[in-house]
């Protein structure tokens, strides 16, 4: 069996919240990977790419990854990995903390970060930095699937290593296509933000990528 290491946020978290806690859903593509792979899934809902990058570098230090395929979901950039959070999942709340909707000791910092730091150019630069970081680490793996939440600005980027695949559309845009009625507010009833038919399709595409290194074709993702 192949081995796959997965990092990211709720798009690939192996556990999904329900009224009774968190459970595993065998119909979601992060779980379907287990049909033909040994999977190490270190994703956690609500986390940002800095947190995932920390998990990845630690994983490389403690594992032989030469024959492992890496799937790295680069989640929302504004999710800063602050050490004042009790749980990594709190990273998702930075904008709500900044607005005062959630009371937190980091509110003044969060407000200043949103007002003074998180500009459009900052977001673009951070996208380039995360892809650059994964490019530097790609040689540790057999091949790498780098799937950002936001669609990358292709005109400004050129991959400098041959074993990285980047889908042409970000996961947030594809999730909205999957179900246009979801507005991004509140808990998403869709496991990993997709309906089962698209989970099946994504899994098929990743199987082909593992076998041949072919691009992940997102054209087959359709609405409910």
């Amino acid at each position: 069996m192949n081995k796959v290491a997965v990092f990211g946020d709720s798009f690939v978290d192996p556990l999904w919240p329900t009224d009774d806690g968190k459970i595993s859903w065998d119909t979601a593509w992060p779980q379907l990977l287990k049909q033909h792979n040994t999977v190490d899934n270190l994703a956690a809902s609500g986390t940002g790419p800095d947190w995932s990058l920390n998990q990845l570098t630690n994983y490389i230090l403690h594992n032989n990854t030469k024959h492992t395929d890496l799937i790295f979901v680069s989640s929302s950039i504004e999710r800063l990995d602050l050490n004042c959070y009790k749980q990594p999942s709190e990273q998702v709340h930075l904008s709500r903390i900044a607005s005062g909707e959630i009371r937190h000791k980091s509110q003044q910092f969060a407000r200043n970060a949103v007002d003074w730091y998180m500009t459009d150019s900052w977001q673009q630069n951070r996208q380039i930095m995360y892809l650059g970081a994964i490019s530097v680490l790609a040689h540790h793996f057999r091949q790498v699937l780098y799937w950002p939440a936001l669609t990358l600005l292709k005109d400004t980027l050129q991959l400098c290593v041959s074993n990285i695949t980047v889908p042409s559309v970000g996961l947030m845009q594809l999730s909205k296509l999957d179900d246009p009625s979801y507005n991004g507010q509140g808990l998403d009833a869709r496991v990993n933000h997709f309906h089962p038919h698209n989970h099946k399709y994504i899994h098929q595409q990743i199987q082909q990528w593992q076998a041949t290194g072919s691009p992940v074709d997102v054209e087959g993702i359709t609405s409910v």
Side-chain angles (χ1 to χ4, degrees):
M1 294 184 75
N2 295 325
K3 187 170 184 179
V4 183
V6 182
F7 299 84
D9 66 346
S10 56
F11 280 107
V12 281
D13 191 328
L15 299 177
W16 199 253
T18 67
D19 292 338
D20 301 321
K22 291 186 175 183
I23 63 174
S24 170
W25 293 84
D26 293 337
T27 57
W29 73 263
Q31 297 292 353
L32 291 173
L33 289 173
K34 294 182 179 180
Q35 293 180 354
H36 304 288
N37 300 279
T38 300
V39 180
D40 288 335
N41 191 324
L42 284 80
S45 296
T47 59
D50 281 339
W51 186 86
S52 295
L53 191 57
N54 286 335
Q55 306 310 303
L56 172 58
T57 52
N58 186 62
Y59 184 84
I60 292 171
L61 289 174
H62 294 93
N63 293 274
N64 181 356
T65 60
K66 183 177 180 181
H67 301 293
T68 301
D69 293 332
L70 169 63
I71 298 175
F72 189 94
V73 170
S74 184
S75 56
S76 297
I77 293 169
E78 72 276 4
R79 298 179 186 178
L80 303 182
D81 187 13
L82 305 180
N83 61 15
C84 61
Y85 294 142
K86 294 181 180 179
Q87 299 294 333
S89 60
E90 293 180 58
Q91 294 168 35
V92 72
H93 298 310
L94 186 137
S95 61
R96 296 175 67 196
I97 292 171
S99 68
E101 182 180 347
I102 295 177
R103 296 188 63 181
H104 195 274
K105 60 185 177 181
S106 68
Q107 181 179 359
Q108 190 59 54
F109 170 85
R111 182 181 298 160
N112 292 342
V114 171
D115 290 344
W116 300 340
Y117 188 52
M118 295 180 176
T119 62
D120 290 344
S121 61
W122 174 83
Q123 294 210 26
Q124 180 177 333
N125 290 341
R126 297 295 285 187
Q127 289 191 54
I128 296 171
M129 288 169 61
Y130 291 125
L131 179 56
I134 298 303
S135 298
V136 169
L137 298 171
H139 70 279
H140 290 284
F141 296 91
R142 189 174 78 95
Q143 56 184 353
V144 176
L145 176 63
Y146 178 86
W147 207 334
L150 300 174
T151 301
L152 293 175
L153 300 175
K154 292 290 186 179
D155 292 342
T156 65
L157 300 175
Q158 181 175 349
L159 297 178
C160 57
V161 289
S162 60
N163 68 333
I164 293 184
T165 296
V166 182
S168 60
V169 182
L171 283 163
M172 285 186 176
Q173 185 174 337
L174 294 173
S175 178
K176 187 174 182 179
L177 172 63
D178 171 273
D179 190 346
S181 68
Y182 181 67
N183 61 8
Q185 302 298 316
L187 289 176
D188 190 348
R190 300 170 298 164
V191 178
N192 300 115
H193 306 300
F194 286 98
H195 286 287
H197 71 285
N198 283 325
H199 278 297
K200 182 179 179 181
Y201 177 77
I202 292 172
H203 176 241
Q204 292 171 344
Q205 288 297 308
I206 290 179
Q207 278 188 296
Q208 293 181 23
W209 164 74
Q210 285 189 278
T212 67
S214 60
V216 173
D217 182 7
V218 299
E219 295 298 322
I221 293 180
T222 56
S223 300
V224 291

